[in-house]
């Protein structure tokens, strides 16, 4: 007997599902495979070799871009997470206030507004600031990345705060804890998994951003993704594959970490 | 001494406004075990949370030993709460939980250690001091919650249905335990429950609440034997209601005539308005306050509809001749034979002065 509707029993379900997975993951698999190609083509297999990883490692430009990417991702996710914690506290731990929904929407705005719009508007604003101040450092990129990373950091932190038993904080206040000490000794220790998850997500999002970075960066401020984009205009070698695979590995580790951190404390 | 006067709490506005507390005034004495008893939604928890400081009342005043509490945030009130869900801090050990309040009060380390040890002793949890709170049973969590709230020596301990999550046997144990703790510490306990039996066994005084108001305040015996109105009589224990007319009144006593024609002395509620002769009233009679007898010359008579055996006692359901029903309870004795059978025509007698005249 059938127990109601189950999409898995519909004809063609498994075919479509498999096709989707193949389309999603086959290209990535090919990318990874060809990063180990001994030849210099990204389409003709000539045997296994680590040479492109070695070449990427020894490439000064790649090294430079990698360090910049990591510094940028660390700083941006730190700024974004800090802002996200404050935003999450304001939207879950205060009495309902006028305009709360608007603020909630505005915090999540980078998820909805097309990235190119954000990129162009930041370009215009930062160009003006650069003109006036003469500062062309990494600060602009950090600010820009932090801005679009906030909603990614905000979501898990807010979810954690909402899932938390409010009576714990009340008990803290009842036992003579001032609001600041209650936050320090009760809320924060409970919130850590959310903060960690949020910052990891923000880190990954910042690490692979192309569009906004391309628009905001000053000359010579290539990150790994924009460096790779630049390379595509010249000769494409499996070195690109090797760098991509390394990036993929970092992302997978972070996202897996996010998953386990999220699960561990539930 | 807690003095509450004209306390009102309204949630929402306009059409959807809900009055959780409606002009509540009550004085809770020092060192007493005071229970707020009522059905869910009666406002008892709202009142407790207002004393704790988690809710601001719409109107009214609240003082503790003459000191205004409403102007103080929860962390400045010398009042601690045992939460219904216990609300133990999951990232701390049992001992750390108990120490928390003292740490927040910036007590000296040696004093904290000593008090925590003393509290652990008091609730018999010394052996489990270093366990995480998730590694102990519900009953043990309950004890830790108590110890944590008692450790800072509050003037008042608020208990929000703390026994409701425990199973029957453990609940009975904790009832005695709580009573003992209250006695030993001399702290005022304000206890919220919807369980009338719990209220009767533990309290010095009970306030019965309904729809945001206090209906009656008194000792367990007062409340049980002399319910002032229908709600109280009905909510606490089982009650039979009989219609009657006043013949004459003499202070707290009145002579009434039942619908059956029988006459009996009844008790009026302490703060009831003066009743006119001939006024219609409702009497409340507890099931164990009446006796079965032969129908001839009895106060009431009827047909025995059901006899239900309950182990410790037997319930007799009588369909009275006047279209009312009456339930009687008799304690069972060993070797007792069943005198009355279902279908028998029986009589009912009630001792004079026992029926309580309700205010409504």
């Amino acid at each position: 007997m059938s127990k109601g509707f189950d999409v898995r029993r519909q004809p063609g379900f498994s075919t479509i599902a498999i096709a989707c997975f193949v389309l999603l993951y086959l290209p990535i698999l090919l990318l990874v495979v060809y990063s180990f190609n001994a030849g210099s083509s990204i389409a003709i297999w000539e045997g296994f070799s680590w040479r492109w990883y070695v070449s990427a490692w020894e490439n000064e430009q790649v090294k430079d871009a990698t360090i910049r990417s990591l510094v940028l991702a660390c700083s941006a996710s730190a700024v974004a997470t800090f802002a996200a914690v404050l935003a999450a506290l304001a939207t879950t731990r205060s009495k309902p206030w006028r305009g709360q929904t608007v603020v909630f929407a505005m915090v999540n705005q980078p998820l909805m507004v097309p990235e190119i719009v954000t990129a162009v508007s930041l370009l215009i604003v930062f160009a003006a600031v650069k003109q006036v101040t003469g500062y062309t450092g990494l600060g602009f990129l950090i600010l820009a990345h932090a801005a679009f990373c906030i909603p990614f950091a905000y979501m898990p932190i807010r979810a954690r705060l909402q899932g938390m038993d409010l009576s714990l904080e009340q008990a803290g206040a009842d036992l003579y804890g001032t609001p600041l000490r209650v936050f320090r000794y009760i809320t924060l220790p409970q919130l850590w998994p959310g903060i960690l998850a949020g910052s990891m997500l923000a880190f990954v999002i910042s690490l692979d951003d192309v569009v906004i970075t391309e628009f905001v960066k000053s000359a010579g401020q290539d990150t790994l993704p924009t460096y790779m984009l630049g390379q595509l205009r010249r000769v494409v070698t499996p070195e690109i594959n090797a760098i991509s695979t390394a990036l993929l590995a970092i992302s997978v580790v972070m996202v897996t970490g996010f998953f386990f951190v999220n699960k561990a404390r539930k | 001494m807690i003095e509450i006067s004209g306390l009102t709490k309204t949630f929402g506005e306009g059409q959807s406004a809900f009055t959780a507390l409606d002009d509540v005034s009550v004085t809770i004495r020092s060192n007493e075990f005071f229970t707020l008893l009522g059905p869910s939604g009666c406002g008892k928890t709202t009142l407790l949370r207002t004393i704790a400081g988690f809710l601001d009342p719409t109107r009214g005043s609240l003082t503790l030993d003459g000191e205004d509490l409403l102007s103080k945030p929860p962390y400045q009130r010398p009042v601690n709460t045992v939460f219904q869900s216990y609300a133990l801090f999951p990232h701390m050990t049992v001992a750390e939980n108990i120490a928390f309040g003292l740490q927040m009060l910036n007590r000296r380390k040696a004093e904290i250690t000593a008090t925590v040890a003393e509290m652990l002793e008091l609730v018999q949890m010394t052996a489990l001091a270093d366990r995480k709170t998730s590694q102990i049973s519900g009953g043990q969590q309950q004890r830790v919650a108590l110890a944590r709230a008692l450790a800072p020596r509050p003037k008042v301990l608020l208990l929000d249905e703390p026994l409701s999550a425990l199973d029957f046997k453990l609940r009975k144990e904790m009832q005695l335990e709580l009573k003992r703790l209250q006695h030993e510490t001399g702290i005022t306990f304000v206890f919220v429950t919807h369980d009338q039996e719990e209220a009767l066994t533990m309290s010095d005084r009970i306030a019965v609440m309904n729809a945001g108001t206090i209906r009656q305040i008194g000792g367990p015996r007062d409340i049980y034997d002399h319910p002032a109105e229908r709600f109280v009589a009905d909510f606490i224990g089982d009650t039979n209601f009989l219609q009657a007319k006043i013949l004459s009144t003499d202070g707290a006593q009145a002579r009434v005539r039942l619908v059956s024609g029988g006459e009996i002395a009844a008790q009026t509620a302490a703060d009831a308005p003066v009743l006119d002769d001939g006024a219609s009233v409702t009497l409340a009679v507890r099931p164990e306050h009446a006796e079965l007898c032969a129908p001839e010359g009895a106060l009431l008579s009827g047909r025995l509809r059901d006899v239900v055996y309950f182990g410790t006692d037997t319930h007799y359901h009588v369909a009275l001749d006047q279209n009312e029903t009456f339930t009687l309870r008799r304690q069972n004795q060993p070797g007792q034979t069943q005198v009355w059978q279902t279908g028998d025509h029986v009589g009912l007698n009630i001792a004079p002065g026992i029926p309580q005249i309700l205010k409504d």
Side-chain angles (χ1 to χ4, degrees):
Chain A
M1 279 300 287
S2 133
K3 286 184 202 153
F5 177 79
D6 185 347
V7 73
R8 285 174 299 177
R9 271 197 286 277
Q10 298 306 303
F13 173 80
S14 50
T15 319
I16 295 172
I18 290 168
C20 285
F21 278 115
V22 167
L23 280 173
L24 270 174
Y25 288 103
L26 189 65
I28 295 178
L29 187 69
L30 284 177
L31 170 117
V32 173
V33 167
Y34 276 95
S35 71
F36 297 105
N37 194 0
S40 53
S41 162
I42 57 166
I44 304 155
W45 181 254
E46 290 174 36
F48 179 88
S49 147
W50 289 100
R51 66 178 275 212
W52 297 112
Y53 285 89
V54 175
S55 129
W57 184 253
E58 284 170 351
N59 185 332
E60 281 304 318
Q61 275 177 298
V62 172
K63 222 179 253 177
D64 182 52
T66 306
I67 290 167
R68 187 172 295 109
S69 269
L70 291 177
V71 169
L72 178 57
C74 286
S75 323
S77 61
V79 174
T81 306
F82 181 72
V85 169
L86 297 184
L89 282 173
T91 47
T92 57
R93 286 297 187 275
S94 55
K95 286 180 183 167
W97 34 282
R98 192 182 280 274
Q100 194 171 4
T101 331
V102 178
V103 167
F104 178 69
M106 278 167 67
V107 168
N108 291 313
Q109 164 278 128
L111 294 177
M112 269 97 66
V113 174
E115 212 183 337
I116 193 77
V117 174
T118 313
V120 172
S121 43
L122 284 176
L123 170 74
I124 295 165
V125 172
F126 287 158
V129 178
K130 281 177 193 174
Q131 192 93 61
V132 174
T133 61
Y135 172 72
T136 54
L138 206 56
F140 295 112
L141 273 178
I142 292 174
L143 275 182
H145 278 223
F148 69 77
C149 283
I150 285 175
F152 295 96
Y154 171 75
M155 287 301 181
I157 294 171
R158 179 190 153 92
R160 184 88 199 165
L161 274 172
Q162 274 182 327
M164 220 184 268
D165 184 1
L166 264 185
S167 63
L168 291 181
E169 285 160 45
Q170 284 179 344
D174 190 65
L175 292 162
Y176 314 105
T178 57
L180 214 60
R181 293 176 102 183
V182 169
F183 178 75
R184 166 73 186 81
Y185 295 110
I186 309 295
T187 315
L188 201 58
Q190 310 271 335
L191 195 56
W192 267 122
I195 291 176
L196 214 59
S199 60
M200 277 174 168
L201 265 188
F203 182 89
V204 171
I205 296 292
S206 160
L207 193 65
D208 81 352
D209 179 75
V210 176
V211 179
I212 290 177
T213 314
E214 191 68 46
F215 276 73
V216 171
K217 75 182 167 82
S218 307
Q221 279 186 342
D222 265 323
T223 62
L224 259 187
T226 61
Y227 166 77
M228 288 159 72
L229 189 68
Q231 287 302 298
L232 289 184
R233 297 191 193 116
R234 298 175 209 146
V235 191
V236 181
T237 64
E239 192 179 293
I240 292 286
N241 295 38
I243 300 168
S244 300
T245 307
L247 268 179
L248 179 70
I250 295 175
S251 294
V252 166
V253 167
M254 295 298 264
V255 172
T256 313
F258 164 81
F259 177 77
F260 280 109
V261 166
N262 232 13
K263 211 175 146 185
R265 294 284 286 253
K266 275 195 179 150
Chain B
M1 190 167 73
I2 304 174
E3 279 178 288
I4 294 165
S5 158
L7 210 63
T8 300
K9 175 69 185 173
T10 313
F11 291 103
E13 279 169 31
Q15 284 281 300
S16 59
F18 169 71
T19 305
L21 287 178
D22 191 0
D23 197 21
V24 169
S25 298
V26 57
T27 300
I28 300 169
R29 301 170 194 146
S30 294
N31 305 339
E32 82 172 329
F33 197 121
F34 190 86
T35 298
L36 299 168
L37 173 68
S40 58
C42 71
K44 57 190 191 296
T45 299
T46 307
L47 184 54
L48 197 80
R49 296 174 69 79
T50 306
I51 299 174
F54 305 137
L55 283 176
D56 293 324
T58 314
R59 271 193 307 282
S61 71
L62 166 64
T63 63
L64 172 59
D65 296 339
E67 211 179 332
D68 176 41
L69 279 190
L70 291 180
S71 59
K72 291 181 175 176
Y75 55 89
Q76 283 173 2
R77 299 187 186 192
V79 164
N80 289 145
T81 308
V82 177
F83 290 80
Q84 185 170 12
S85 59
Y86 312 147
L88 297 178
F89 307 130
H91 55 292
M92 298 182 193
T93 63
V94 166
E96 285 167 349
N97 262 279
I98 298 173
F100 187 83
L102 298 162
Q103 283 165 349
M104 292 298 113
L105 287 170
N106 301 316
R107 295 284 162 78
R108 279 177 303 114
K109 236 191 161 116
E111 187 193 337
I112 294 177
T113 316
T115 310
V116 169
E118 186 193 331
M119 285 299 140
L120 284 166
E121 189 77 27
L122 189 70
V123 295
Q124 295 147 34
M125 287 290 293
T126 308
L128 301 174
D130 296 324
R131 290 273 190 96
K132 276 271 157 73
T133 57
S134 54
Q135 295 167 329
I136 56 177
S137 73
Q140 291 165 339
Q141 289 180 8
Q142 166 72 78
R143 287 161 194 275
V144 176
L146 255 170
R148 185 180 71 176
L150 284 171
R153 288 255 152 201
K155 284 186 179 170
V156 179
L157 187 72
L158 306 174
L159 302 107
D160 185 8
E161 307 217 19
L163 307 181
S164 61
L166 303 180
D167 62 46
F168 183 75
K169 261 191 101 157
L170 209 51
R171 199 156 67 222
K172 292 272 158 218
E173 247 178 72
M174 284 307 295
Q175 283 177 10
L176 295 175
E177 181 95 8
L178 273 178
K179 191 81 194 148
R180 175 180 72 86
L181 283 173
Q182 197 263 330
H183 220 79
E184 283 179 17
T185 57
I187 291 171
T188 308
F189 276 34
V190 181
F191 184 86
V192 159
T193 183
H194 63 266
D195 184 330
Q196 39 123 346
E197 197 188 303
E198 215 164 86
L200 291 174
T201 48
M202 297 164 76
S203 317
D204 293 323
R205 285 196 306 153
I206 301 170
V208 185
M209 292 187 71
N210 188 35
T213 56
I214 293 181
R215 305 314 311 172
Q216 189 175 355
I217 300 178
R221 223 166 243 286
D222 284 335
I223 299 268
Y224 186 80
D225 286 344
H226 307 295
E229 52 181 58
R230 185 177 276 267
F231 174 80
V232 177
D234 209 21
F235 188 74
I236 296 166
D238 299 318
T239 310
N240 295 290
F241 296 107
L242 296 169
Q243 296 305 314
K245 275 195 166 34
I246 301 279
L247 295 175
S248 63
T249 51
D250 176 18
Q253 295 278 318
R255 195 141 185 93
V256 299
R257 172 177 289 136
L258 300 174
V259 184
S260 64
E263 289 178 20
I264 188 168
Q267 185 112 32
T268 57
D271 57 340
V274 179
L275 292 158
D276 296 328
D277 294 353
S280 287
V281 291
T282 306
L283 305 180
V285 182
R286 296 294 183 189
E288 65 276 20
H289 290 170
E291 245 169 308
L292 278 180
C293 58
E296 294 77 25
L299 184 69
L300 294 160
S301 63
R303 197 161 289 283
L304 192 55
R305 213 177 48 200
D306 276 309
V307 178
V308 187
Y309 178 75
F310 271 94
T312 54
D313 45 30
T314 303
H315 293 191
Y316 300 89
H317 297 277
V318 182
L320 297 180
D321 297 338
Q322 285 74 34
N323 236 351
E324 291 170 310
T325 59
F326 198 102
T327 303
L328 246 125
R329 189 157 55 213
R330 272 277 139 270
Q331 198 170 3
N332 294 324
Q333 306 290 341
Q336 186 182 31
T337 49
Q338 195 69 37
V339 182
W340 309 100
Q341 306 296 334
T342 306
D344 284 356
H345 199 233
V346 295
L348 279 168
N349 266 335
I350 303 165
I354 291 295
Q356 179 73 28
I357 299 172
L358 300 175
K359 283 196 283 187
D360 56 347

